[in-house]
Amino acid sequence: MTILLIEDDKGLAELLSEFLSLSGYEVVHRADGESGLAAALSLPDIELVLLDVMLPKLNGLDVLKSLRQQSELPVLMLTARGDDLDKVLGLELGADDYLAKPFNDRELLARIRAITRRTRDKASDSPALSNQLSLGDLTLDLSKMEVQCKGEVLELTGSEYALLKLCCQSPGELISKETLSEQCLGRKLQAFDRSIDTHVSNLRKKLQAVGSACEIKSQRGRGYGVFAG
């Protein structure tokens, strides 16, 4: 697996590149937003992007915004500790997850593995083997990790797909944020963590944009669920 690291701190970039290489990953490094975006859009082997927020030439949020207009490549944002605005903006723009600096190497590896588990393409060579899940006007192709509404494919990030799939497997039921975080993001829910709320907000907007009758409902303290219209 090849990871694109977009980080302007030379020392940190060297440490991360060495650690990830020892963990079995190929690492491509870019030190500014413009060259990082170009690499993400042009290099065919990239499977995940580690994207710093504070970058020269083009900041990380602008890189993510431009990338999402053309690609659903998984993105793990690297943010300053305590900077909740960057975390929320990154998730709203389509980041799969975030990690606050300074972080533990094992935590970084766990986040990378969680993202790749839920975004890895599981498409089968044979269409006959496709496993589908339907709810209302939504059809989830579980082998291709693809969602269609009225024949139109929804452009979802890996995290959004995982959330929708889990909710559609228990239609009309509310699933706790703790369960959603553990099963869809691969980590325990932390205090003041708004990741699930932001991913759900993005999902709602995308379902509304295609006119889906399915609705994601919530109840304070109980969680979220998908209800067919």
Side-chain angles (χ1 to χ4, degrees):
M1 177 178 175
T2 302
I3 293 175
L4 173 61
L5 172 63
I6 309 178
E7 169 62 65
D8 65 322
D9 185 322
K10 183 178 179 181
L12 178 59
E14 290 177 351
L15 288 173
L16 289 178
S17 295
E18 181 179 3
F19 169 71
L20 291 171
S21 295
L22 290 173
S23 300
Y25 297 97
E26 297 288 336
V27 181
V28 175
H29 173 236
R30 295 293 184 271
D32 65 81
E34 285 186 359
S35 63
L37 176 61
L41 293 174
S42 63
L43 299 180
D45 295 333
I46 302 299
E47 295 183 56
L48 182 141
V49 179
L50 292 181
L51 177 61
D52 187 27
V53 173
M54 301 300 295
L55 292 168
K57 297 187 179 180
L58 196 66
N59 70 53
L61 294 175
D62 287 336
V63 170
L64 178 60
K65 184 176 181 180
S66 297
L67 180 63
R68 278 294 170 258
Q69 293 173 354
Q70 304 178 59
S71 170
E72 291 300 325
L73 195 62
V75 174
L76 175 59
M77 297 289 295
L78 305 179
T79 70
R81 182 171 296 278
D83 199 337
D84 293 333
L85 180 59
D86 282 346
K87 297 172 185 176
V88 172
L89 285 175
L91 293 172
E92 288 181 343
L93 290 172
D96 290 83
D97 206 349
Y98 66 84
L99 192 58
K101 298 178 180 179
F103 47 78
N104 181 280
D105 289 344
R106 292 184 178 180
E107 176 69 9
L108 172 64
L109 202 57
R111 296 290 180 92
I112 290 173
R113 287 171 175 168
I115 291 174
T116 53
R117 275 198 304 269
R118 63 180 180 261
T119 58
R120 188 176 294 117
D121 185 8
K122 299 178 181 178
S124 169
D125 291 334
S126 172
L129 297 178
S130 175
N131 186 16
Q132 292 189 339
L133 174 66
S134 296
L135 178 65
D137 52 19
L138 297 178
T139 300
L140 286 73
D141 188 321
L142 305 182
S143 60
K144 294 181 180 179
M145 297 179 67
E146 182 179 273
V147 180
Q148 291 190 18
C149 178
K150 304 172 184 176
E152 182 176 349
V153 176
L154 276 65
E155 297 295 333
L156 303 181
T157 66
S159 299
E160 292 164 0
Y161 171 83
L163 283 167
L164 185 60
K165 173 187 172 183
L166 185 59
C167 289
C168 285
Q169 287 174 331
S170 301
E173 297 182 13
L174 294 175
I175 302 175
S176 70
K177 289 172 60 175
E178 289 80 5
T179 298
L180 290 171
S181 183
E182 290 183 13
Q183 296 196 24
C184 299
L185 302 185
R187 55 185 170 86
K188 291 185 178 298
L189 185 69
Q190 301 295 319
F192 309 111
D193 188 343
R194 305 287 295 175
S195 301
I196 294 296
D197 305 301
T198 306
H199 286 311
V200 169
S201 176
N202 291 340
L203 264 175
R204 281 173 169 159
K205 292 175 183 176
K206 292 179 179 182
L207 291 175
Q208 291 169 0
V210 295
S212 175
C214 290
E215 182 180 0
I216 301 178
K217 296 183 180 180
S218 62
Q219 189 174 91
R220 192 175 185 86
R222 292 190 60 195
Y224 293 100
V226 175
F227 295 76

